[in-house]
């Protein structure tokens, strides 16, 4: 999906690193991952699946295996997006997704604390 089709003012930046960003759209009830030259739309479950797939990649074995290139195809069933990533890009995507889910947890904790103060 192209960035031009989406009103960037309606997106909330959840987390960014030097390689990409994750945005939330409350209006469309979805997330956008801007990474590796791709601007991809995910629902909540798909974003969790992407995080799981990326976290399961063994970077150490990928780098130590001299019989194949240090690239990995990243996708999962039911996903229309495919990433071909180097080991460094995989590390950056792991960081981006871990930061995103940390922000989700932090937001939940803050809301929980604020609700307890009100009641």
């Amino acid at each position: 999906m192209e960035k031009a089709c989406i009103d960037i003012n309606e997106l909330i930046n959840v987390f960014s690193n030097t390689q990409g960003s994750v945005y939330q759209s409350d209006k469309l009830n979805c997330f956008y991952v801007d990474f590796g030259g791709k601007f991809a739309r995910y629902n909540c479950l798909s974003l969790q699946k992407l995080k799981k797939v990326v976290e399961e990649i063994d970077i150490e074995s990928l780098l130590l295996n001299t019989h194949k290139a240090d690239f990995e195809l990243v996708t999962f069933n039911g996903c229309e997006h495919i990433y071909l990533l180097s080991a460094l890009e995989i590390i950056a995507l792991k960081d981006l997704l871990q930061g995103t889910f940390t922000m989700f947890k932090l937001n939940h904790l803050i809301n929980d604390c604020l609700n307890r103060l009100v009641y």
Side-chain angles (χ1 to χ4, degrees), residues 30-92:
C30 64
F31 299 95
Y32 292 94
V33 177
D34 185 6
F35 185 84
K38 179 179 273 214
F39 195 73
R41 179 180 173 169
Y42 294 94
N43 63 24
C44 187
L45 184 59
S46 295
L47 192 63
Q48 289 174 333
K49 286 182 183 178
L50 177 65
K51 181 179 184 281
K52 183 178 182 212
V53 167
V54 171
E55 286 182 346
E56 289 177 350
I57 297 172
D58 187 3
I59 298 291
E60 185 177 336
S61 68
L62 186 66
L63 291 173
L64 293 176
N65 188 349
T66 58
H67 298 326
K68 69 175 195 172
D70 65 338
F71 286 91
E72 188 79 26
L73 275 176
V74 178
T75 190
F76 54 90
N77 287 340
C79 180
E80 59 190 46
H81 307 291
I82 297 174
Y83 295 94
L84 178 61
L85 303 175
S86 69
L88 292 176
E89 291 171 325
I90 292 168
I91 292 168

Side-chain angles (χ1 to χ4, degrees), residues 15 17 22 51 54-55 91-105:
F15 185 78
N17 64 11
V22 175
K51 181 179 184 281
V54 171
E55 286 182 346
I91 292 168
L93 184 55
K94 273 186 184 184
D95 175 61
L96 180 66
L97 294 172
Q98 287 173 348
T100 298
F101 280 85
T102 299
M103 295 307 287
F104 292 152
K105 290 176 188 172

